[in-house]
Amino acid sequence: MRRIIGTAMTLAIVICFSTSLVLAADLPKLVGLTIPEAGTDKGWNEQGKVGLEAIAAKYGFKMELGEALGYGDIKPTLRDMVKKGSDLIICHASGYQTVAPEIARETGVRVVTTENHKDVTPGLISDIDTQPQGGCYMAGYLAGKMTRSNIVGIVTSGEPPTWNRMSAGFAQGLKASNPGAKLLYSLIGEAAYADAAGAKRNSEDQIAVGADVIFGMGDGASFGMLQACSSKKAKDGGKVWFIDVIGDKSSIDRADVLLSSVLWDMSVVYDEIIQSWKDGSFGKQHWVAMDNGAIRLLEPNKAVPSDVRKEIKDLEAKLKSGAIAVVDIPVAADLHKFLNEHFPK
Amino acid sequence: MSSLMDMALIGAVMASTLRGTTPILLGALGETFVERSGLLNLGLEGMMVAGAFASFLVGFKLDSLMLGFVAAAAVGMILGLLFGFMTITLRVNQIVVGLGITIFAHASCSFLHRVIFGNQFPIMFTAGQTHEVPLLSKIPLIGQPLFNQHWLLYLTFLSVPVLYFIMYKTSLGLRIQAVGETPWAADSSGVNVLKTRYIAILFGGIMGGLAGAFMSLGDLAFFVPNMIMGRGYIAIVVVMLGKWDPLKVFLGALLFGFSMSLTSALQVAGVKVSPDFILMTPYLVVIATLLIFARSTNLPAALCVPYERGQK
């Protein structure tokens, strides 16, 4: 009997040990992340880096970071990551959607692209796209409630699909809460993500004609928008509110003009990707969206009245349930048409 | 459009024209002297980046704006010295050295920003202050936009006639022109070609550093990697547009600054034109100006040509 119990226990230990080995083998050991700018921009790049760090800590894999790579050909970096043993490479910029699939097919190493649905390949290429318009709808709704001049501005550092979706969602939310509001739209440049001076100039021009809420999408450029809102007074002498995206700039908001921010949590989609790796379904489309918790609104500024806060909370529930449908407009030309229709110049 | 194109926006356009012109003008005035001496400094962009970072770092850490500007000038001068040593003394290809300095400055400033500030982007709240010029700032419409600006902006605009005078009316200016045209002739008449070129590039470095400092401490109040956004290269184009004449360079920079301001003002004013087309305005204006005014461009004859005594 004692021999039988001993054998059974040994068997159980061996099974547990081998199972854990199998589970460990199911996870990537080294994950590469390529980002175009510094991973400290309190925006898109930092969210990618911080999100993957959180998931790496959760699942115990190592991370190889390639940052400030720009928007050009990053094949040498990707090949270097492959050479170092990366099992998975996340290419965190829509500008990498040509080279990333090429490297995946060339080397067989799995990659994750950004805003690149057409190359999704089961077992080889997953893609992350964004649906942040729900969060921006709430931001637009909030802006419509907080504007005193009924003039609200959007300042954007480019017109990639994500930024366009956010602008459209914001405009729709503004229209819903304040149909009489005027909306200004300023594009700083084609890829002016770091043009803080240009962002300040565009924001100041909007403030000059009466805007008292600025919704800014900029990465590094957004610091210029924040400075414009901090240093300029609205036409009525009051504050110019700033609504940010992706990150949280509360820590540097000394003038207390940050009204809110549409926050992104990339760790949610990275977790989904690792889960797909484990269950064998890697190679599909993932979304940064409200329904999976990757998009949410930063707790609004304390100046926001409680009834408006409650309305925003109610909105969130309706957006998540699908009771309110928010437009999905990724193309710049369609966005311009949408804005002209709803906010004629 | 007319309802929005009000006086406040016109004032904002005037103010942003001056602020947008200043860093380009600072860099371009320095580059004018550099190119007149026979050197093509493509490292100007890097010197502006380094100046922006150094000024913010020193200004923020020592809580002194003035020391920040001094640091920017010093860093610009050091990079100018490096450029000079490589191209004047060692006679390395000027284009390669210039681009190398720009790449080095971009990378090292991003790296140091990361090491020193981590993921924080501190703001220097005392930076970006403007100074009203008594009486002039009270003039209706133009008073505030034109005469309530940063001190470096006033200094930059005032330096234009001074530098014009130096270029054309002083022996130093004439020596600089001579070594950029016929260095062997200048050498034979007793001008120290290498020393003159060193003076020019050190001056160009200081101006480049100050141009960057204006971005991070004059117009803005923080440093973001890549914030110069090609303004150094625009300054080089403006020098060619202005045919190496400080007054014309000033007009070229002002034209570019005004065009940049228009890109945002036209959008805000509600002009029914695609933003993409509006954003082309500065470049279309520059191309048109080049076609109209700069067809007979006279490059300094010895531009980009290293000088060695005895070799023509």
Side-chain angles (χ1 to χ4, degrees), chain B residues 205-266:
Chain B
I206 290 171
M207 295 292 269
L210 287 175
F214 180 80
M215 296 282 294
S216 60
L217 292 185
D219 188 10
L220 302 168
F222 51 83
F223 175 82
V224 179
N226 299 329
M227 68 188 290
I228 301 300
M229 290 288 294
R231 286 175 175 83
Y233 296 120
I234 292 169
I236 293 169
V237 172
V238 164
V239 172
M240 295 186 176
L241 186 71
K243 296 182 177 180
W244 302 272
D245 177 331
L247 284 184
K248 289 178 184 168
V249 165
F250 162 68
L251 293 175
L254 197 62
L255 180 68
F256 200 86
F258 176 63
S259 307
M260 289 293 287
S261 295
L262 276 188
T263 60
S264 52
L266 290 175

Side-chain angles (χ1 to χ4, degrees), chain A residues 78 91 96-107 109 111 113 116 118-121 124-125:
Chain A
L78 296 178
C91 296
Y96 303 154
Q97 57 185 231
T98 305
V99 291
E102 281 179 26
I103 290 292
R105 292 189 184 107
E106 177 187 309
T107 64
V109 169
V111 301
T113 56
N116 183 29
K118 67 178 172 32
D119 280 310
V120 169
T121 309
L124 189 64
I125 303 169

